[in-house]
Amino acid sequence: MTAALAGVLVYLACGVAGILGAGRIAALLAMIGAWVSLHFWAPGFPVEVVGGGPWGIPVAGDTLALAFWVLAPLVHAVATWHERHRPTTFHGLVTLLVGTCLATVLSRDLFNLFILLDLGSLLSVVLIAYDRKSRAAWAALRYLLLSTLGMLLYLLGVGLVYGELGTLSLVQIAEMGPRLSHPPLAVGVSLLVAGAAVKAGVFLLGLWLPPAHGLAPTGVSVILSSVVVKMGVVALARLSEAFLIGPALVVLGLLTGVGGTVYALWERDLKVFLAFSTVSQLGYLLIGFGAGGAGALGATLFLVAHGLYKGLLFLSAGAAIEERGERAFDRLAGTLPWGVALGLVVGSWAIVGLPPLAGFTAKGALSAGLPSWAKALAVALSLGTAAAFWRVVPLLRSRGARRGAEAGVVALAFALVAFGGWGFAFVPAMRSPWEWGTVGGTVALGYGLHRLFQRTSPALPGLTLGRGMIAVLLASGALAAGMLLLG
């Protein structure tokens, strides 16, 4: 525990130092500190309490925390390199944000999670609007308002749960094994779930996500989609360890996967398209953590793979937009330098789950840990992902410009290949011809769906702030009713 806490403190101290000056050097020191810390506490540590008395904060290092501590500094390094010409304040804020995420995955305390999630939201808002562009500023404001509503609901849930159970420790609550048949407790847990779902960008509850990720500076988009948005998922996963909310997570996962895919299918802006695909990919994580057991382990592997290929896709898309000054698919098609097109090729290959990259390994591991009904849901989401990403194919025709792949693209592409290689070496199912054939068939069928969908142009409802707030409140009531029935 001491080593992990030291790593968090180094990250936060370097973030503050970075705001005051030498932000890039402070960011580098923070990454080194995190990796050194990880060397001492990996592969994990049992539950321990920070501070004394009844208000001590329980922390623990498990597989999920380990995964984030491997992923976050790598993504931070890639984003820092891409944004290396930014002023020191920018890098200090990013370092603080990543440090907050590293602390979040260790926490097992309801109120401490609230503090960390809220701090992460505030830092994200500042970074999204950092360039002071009007559309990005409005996206940041919408994020702030919806996030504030979500965190208020979460805080009300904390009060109700503490009033019923007398503790904020998720470890102690799990030992109690509380049932949700008592109305105050059911309402409290539903508010916790709704608040964390807003932070996670769950469809209809987290309508801030697509414009915020799509309009943020490129390095911020990389950090948000690869690491930050998953803090809400981490909170939901921790809640599922203490309360019987698995069915609710599965339902939210299905709605999120389908909703994100539907909007991605007809989105014209490349970065907003990738943001909607992030929403759809969160569906896999929620289904995996909702199913529990081996499904949760598969979701953890998927979480790492998603962080790598979505970071690569946002990095490449940002470079494409910076290169051409255009955001729309039809204006970018066939105009990109080969280094940018290469990043989109590798990222798209990974996200649809084709071998031998990390997406294939992660989706295979997730599917292997799911019951048959959940596997069917995962296959359906994979079809939607394949259909949506056939839209990227016209962008892969390079115009032959000499600009090569930047260091971050190379690093993330190598990580995707290494992850896939690990899967082939240690997961026998990944060498099965049946798995290869299933993925190939899914991608081929996805092409057919893509062709079918592109013949239509539906008028999808706009994702407005008012609708987002109404959705959050209605979802909270629906969750409470469902938990009472199941409890």
Side-chain angles (χ1 to χ4, degrees), residues 135-185:
R135 292 181 65 201
W138 171 240
L141 178 60
R142 176 158 48 183
Y143 181 3
L144 177 62
L145 293 175
L146 285 173
S147 176
T148 299
L149 176 59
M151 289 296 93
L152 284 174
L153 294 177
Y154 184 96
L155 188 58
L156 287 173
V158 170
L160 288 171
V161 170
Y162 181 75
E164 290 297 310
L165 302 179
T167 181
L168 298 173
S169 169
L170 288 168
V171 178
Q172 294 180 9
I173 293 173
E175 292 172 352
M176 296 177 186
R179 296 185 60 83
L180 302 181
S181 54
H182 191 46
L185 183 59

XYZ file of all heavy atoms in Angstrom, residues 135-185:
387
model
N -17.348 26.056 -29.480
C -18.022 24.754 -29.453
C -17.461 23.885 -28.329
O -18.201 23.185 -27.634
C -17.875 24.044 -30.797
C -18.632 24.697 -31.949
C -18.441 23.914 -33.216
N -19.027 22.582 -33.112
C -18.674 21.552 -33.887
N -17.708 21.690 -34.785
N -19.249 20.388 -33.743
N -16.142 23.912 -28.164
C -15.524 23.121 -27.092
C -15.932 23.659 -25.723
O -16.163 22.892 -24.781
C -14.008 23.126 -27.238
N -16.034 24.997 -25.607
C -16.438 25.578 -24.331
C -17.867 25.176 -23.974
O -18.172 24.883 -22.803
C -16.324 27.101 -24.398
N -18.755 25.141 -24.972
C -20.123 24.715 -24.707
C -20.164 23.229 -24.333
O -20.904 22.827 -23.437
C -21.008 24.986 -25.911
C -22.365 24.385 -25.797
C -22.936 23.468 -26.620
C -23.351 24.635 -24.781
N -24.195 23.128 -26.203
C -24.472 23.829 -25.068
C -23.374 25.446 -23.648
C -25.609 23.826 -24.263
C -24.509 25.440 -22.849
C -25.603 24.649 -23.162
N -19.360 22.408 -25.012
C -19.293 20.992 -24.664
C -18.791 20.819 -23.231
O -19.284 19.965 -22.487
C -18.376 20.253 -25.637
N -17.813 21.639 -22.841
C -17.292 21.569 -21.474
C -18.350 21.999 -20.467
O -18.480 21.401 -19.390
C -16.051 22.445 -21.353
N -19.125 23.040 -20.814
C -20.175 23.495 -19.907
C -21.246 22.426 -19.732
O -21.728 22.176 -18.615
C -20.793 24.786 -20.438
C -21.955 25.364 -19.614
C -21.497 25.696 -18.201
C -22.544 26.588 -20.297
N -21.621 21.772 -20.831
C -22.610 20.699 -20.731
C -22.068 19.561 -19.865
O -22.803 18.983 -19.047
C -22.960 20.187 -22.130
C -23.912 19.003 -22.095
C -24.661 18.818 -23.381
N -23.833 18.869 -24.574
C -24.335 18.784 -25.814
N -25.634 18.659 -26.000
N -23.528 18.824 -26.855
N -20.789 19.233 -20.040
C -20.145 18.221 -19.197
C -20.231 18.640 -17.731
O -20.588 17.832 -16.855
C -18.692 18.077 -19.651
C -17.853 17.050 -18.914
C -18.384 16.223 -17.926
C -16.511 16.895 -19.220
C -17.609 15.290 -17.273
C -15.720 15.966 -18.570
C -16.273 15.177 -17.601
O -15.499 14.251 -16.950
N -19.924 19.908 -17.441
C -19.929 20.384 -16.063
C -21.322 20.270 -15.443
O -21.477 19.781 -14.310
C -19.456 21.832 -16.020
C -19.478 22.519 -14.651
C -18.538 21.813 -13.686
C -19.102 23.987 -14.788
N -22.341 20.689 -16.174
C -23.700 20.690 -15.627
C -24.213 19.267 -15.413
O -24.775 18.944 -14.350
C -24.631 21.459 -16.563
C -24.354 22.967 -16.659
C -25.245 23.608 -17.703
C -24.526 23.650 -15.309
N -24.025 18.400 -16.411
C -24.501 17.021 -16.257
C -23.692 16.281 -15.199
O -24.246 15.499 -14.420
C -24.424 16.288 -17.598
C -25.492 16.664 -18.623
C -25.209 16.001 -19.967
C -26.876 16.268 -18.126
N -22.385 16.528 -15.166
C -21.542 15.879 -14.167
C -21.923 16.331 -12.757
O -21.969 15.523 -11.821
C -20.069 16.177 -14.442
O -19.246 15.631 -13.434
N -22.219 17.631 -12.622
C -22.628 18.147 -11.314
C -23.931 17.499 -10.854
O -24.071 17.100 -9.688
C -22.804 19.672 -11.378
O -21.549 20.267 -11.736
C -23.250 20.222 -10.029
N -24.886 17.370 -11.777
C -26.136 16.692 -11.438
C -25.875 15.246 -11.023
O -26.414 14.759 -10.016
C -27.092 16.736 -12.634
C -28.420 15.985 -12.468
C -29.212 16.517 -11.282
C -29.240 16.064 -13.752
N -25.034 14.565 -11.794
C -24.718 13.175 -11.456
C -24.050 13.042 -10.104
O -24.386 12.153 -9.310
N -23.109 13.934 -9.809
C -22.415 13.861 -8.532
C -23.319 14.237 -7.355
O -23.159 13.723 -6.245
C -21.175 14.750 -8.560
C -20.050 14.218 -9.452
S -19.347 12.620 -8.896
C -20.323 11.439 -9.832
N -24.288 15.133 -7.588
C -25.257 15.440 -6.540
C -26.107 14.215 -6.210
O -26.367 13.908 -5.041
C -26.153 16.603 -6.971
C -25.529 18.005 -6.901
C -26.474 19.038 -7.504
C -25.181 18.382 -5.465
N -26.546 13.507 -7.249
C -27.309 12.278 -7.018
C -26.455 11.254 -6.277
O -26.931 10.577 -5.361
C -27.788 11.712 -8.347
C -28.807 12.551 -9.123
C -29.128 11.892 -10.462
C -30.078 12.737 -8.317
N -25.185 11.141 -6.700
C -24.278 10.194 -6.032
C -24.128 10.559 -4.556
O -24.163 9.680 -3.684
C -22.925 10.210 -6.736
C -21.933 9.216 -6.191
C -21.772 7.970 -6.781
C -21.142 9.516 -5.079
C -20.855 7.060 -6.274
C -20.239 8.610 -4.561
C -20.097 7.388 -5.169
O -19.204 6.469 -4.662
N -23.979 11.850 -4.256
C -23.800 12.271 -2.872
C -25.046 11.997 -2.036
O -24.953 11.579 -0.876
C -23.450 13.765 -2.824
C -23.044 14.329 -1.463
C -21.825 13.583 -0.920
C -22.739 15.813 -1.580
N -26.224 12.199 -2.620
C -27.461 11.834 -1.918
C -27.495 10.333 -1.642
O -27.910 9.893 -0.562
C -28.673 12.248 -2.755
C -28.975 13.747 -2.828
C -30.092 13.998 -3.840
C -29.367 14.281 -1.451
N -27.032 9.565 -2.618
C -26.968 8.115 -2.420
C -26.026 7.729 -1.301
O -26.314 6.818 -0.507
N -24.886 8.432 -1.208
C -23.937 8.172 -0.119
C -24.615 8.390 1.232
O -24.486 7.577 2.160
C -22.703 9.083 -0.256
C -21.834 9.003 1.006
C -21.875 8.681 -1.462
N -25.373 9.492 1.349
C -26.054 9.780 2.607
C -27.079 8.720 2.974
O -27.154 8.283 4.139
N -27.866 8.272 2.004
C -28.880 7.248 2.276
C -28.251 5.915 2.657
O -28.701 5.244 3.604
C -29.782 7.074 1.055
C -30.767 8.216 0.783
C -31.444 8.015 -0.577
C -31.814 8.294 1.888
N -27.209 5.530 1.938
C -26.552 4.251 2.247
C -25.889 4.307 3.617
O -25.984 3.352 4.415
C -25.520 3.903 1.146
C -24.664 2.711 1.568
C -26.223 3.598 -0.163
N -25.228 5.426 3.928
C -24.596 5.543 5.246
C -25.648 5.529 6.352
O -25.436 4.908 7.415
C -23.775 6.826 5.321
C -23.071 6.993 6.644
C -21.935 6.243 6.942
C -23.547 7.880 7.594
C -21.296 6.385 8.162
C -22.917 8.028 8.820
C -21.793 7.275 9.099
O -21.159 7.406 10.305
N -26.784 6.190 6.114
C -27.846 6.193 7.122
C -28.401 4.807 7.383
O -28.795 4.487 8.516
N -28.428 3.949 6.366
C -28.962 2.593 6.520
C -27.936 1.610 7.062
O -28.269 0.730 7.858
C -29.484 2.094 5.173
C -30.735 2.787 4.691
C -31.906 2.548 5.623
O -32.160 1.371 5.959
O -32.555 3.528 6.030
N -26.681 1.728 6.615
C -25.682 0.711 6.940
C -24.630 1.186 7.940
O -23.906 0.368 8.504
C -24.984 0.238 5.650
C -25.915 -0.338 4.572
C -25.110 -0.744 3.341
C -26.694 -1.534 5.111
N -24.500 2.489 8.145
C -23.571 2.996 9.141
C -22.118 2.921 8.764
O -21.245 3.025 9.630
N -21.801 2.764 7.494
C -20.411 2.718 7.043
C -20.323 3.198 5.601
O -21.294 3.067 4.835
C -19.833 1.296 7.155
O -18.453 1.314 6.726
C -20.593 0.318 6.293
N -19.173 3.744 5.250
C -18.895 4.153 3.869
C -17.937 3.182 3.185
O -17.664 3.339 1.994
C -18.289 5.560 3.843
C -19.179 6.683 4.384
C -18.396 7.990 4.453
C -20.414 6.853 3.513
N -17.436 2.223 3.930
C -16.467 1.272 3.392
C -17.165 0.225 2.529
O -18.036 -0.514 3.003
C -15.720 0.579 4.540
O -14.964 -0.511 4.053
N -16.784 0.148 1.269
C -17.359 -0.868 0.385
C -16.938 -2.271 0.810
O -17.657 -3.241 0.559
C -16.921 -0.600 -1.064
C -17.590 0.615 -1.720
C -16.880 0.968 -3.023
C -19.061 0.341 -1.978
N -15.801 -2.376 1.466
C -15.341 -3.678 1.960
C -16.277 -4.173 3.065
O -16.728 -5.332 3.056
C -13.894 -3.567 2.473
C -13.434 -4.907 3.044
C -12.968 -3.121 1.350
N -16.597 -3.305 4.022
C -17.509 -3.691 5.100
C -18.919 -3.946 4.582
O -19.604 -4.870 5.042
C -17.527 -2.606 6.167
C -16.207 -2.442 6.906
C -16.269 -1.354 7.958
O -17.328 -0.816 8.263
N -15.118 -1.005 8.519
N -19.348 -3.147 3.615
C -20.687 -3.348 3.049
C -20.769 -4.705 2.353
O -21.766 -5.424 2.483
C -21.026 -2.203 2.071
C -21.162 -0.888 2.837
C -22.312 -2.510 1.311
C -21.321 0.328 1.954
N -19.721 -5.071 1.640
C -19.710 -6.371 0.966
C -19.802 -7.506 1.976
O -20.464 -8.527 1.727
C -18.448 -6.510 0.119
N -19.146 -7.351 3.122
C -19.209 -8.380 4.158
C -20.617 -8.487 4.751
O -21.041 -9.571 5.158
C -18.199 -8.064 5.257
C -16.745 -8.188 4.801
C -15.762 -7.683 5.850
O -16.238 -7.091 6.857
O -14.549 -7.870 5.670
N -21.340 -7.380 4.805
C -22.721 -7.407 5.307
C -23.659 -8.139 4.347
O -24.655 -8.739 4.784
C -23.242 -5.972 5.494
C -22.511 -5.169 6.549
S -23.177 -3.468 6.576
C -22.075 -2.691 7.739
N -23.362 -8.070 3.044
C -24.243 -8.677 2.056
C -25.642 -8.101 2.064
O -26.626 -8.850 2.129
N -25.800 -6.762 2.000
C -27.138 -6.164 2.142
C -28.035 -6.479 0.956
O -27.586 -6.537 -0.193
C -26.834 -4.663 2.202
C -25.566 -4.509 1.424
C -24.767 -5.745 1.715
N -29.313 -6.683 1.237
C -30.313 -6.858 0.181
C -30.991 -5.521 -0.063
O -31.087 -4.673 0.822
C -31.337 -7.923 0.569
C -30.722 -9.314 0.729
C -31.808 -10.342 0.986
N -32.767 -10.410 -0.112
C -32.587 -11.118 -1.228
N -31.468 -11.806 -1.382
N -33.507 -11.138 -2.166
N -31.462 -5.336 -1.278
C -32.019 -4.048 -1.673
C -33.532 -4.018 -1.586
O -34.192 -3.274 -2.307
C -31.560 -3.716 -3.102
C -30.045 -3.668 -3.314
C -29.713 -3.318 -4.743
C -29.396 -2.678 -2.346
N -34.104 -4.823 -0.687
C -35.556 -4.844 -0.528
C -36.054 -3.695 0.342
O -37.245 -3.388 0.350
C -35.992 -6.179 0.085
O -35.286 -6.430 1.293
N -35.146 -3.052 1.083
C -35.532 -1.935 1.942
C -35.511 -0.655 1.102
O -34.472 -0.288 0.547
C -34.557 -1.828 3.109
C -35.007 -0.899 4.191
N -36.288 -0.898 4.701
C -34.345 0.092 4.854
C -36.392 0.028 5.631
N -35.224 0.649 5.740
N -36.621 0.067 0.983
C -36.703 1.203 0.053
C -35.606 2.261 0.201
O -35.015 2.665 -0.810
C -38.096 1.778 0.337
C -38.897 0.601 0.775
C -37.948 -0.237 1.572
N -35.283 2.747 1.412
C -34.225 3.770 1.485
C -32.887 3.288 0.933
O -32.178 4.038 0.261
C -34.134 4.074 2.984
C -35.479 3.716 3.522
C -35.901 2.518 2.733
N -32.552 2.030 1.211
C -31.287 1.503 0.708
C -31.341 1.335 -0.806
O -30.372 1.661 -1.516
C -30.969 0.164 1.374
C -29.626 -0.472 0.991
C -28.470 0.458 1.328
C -29.449 -1.820 1.686
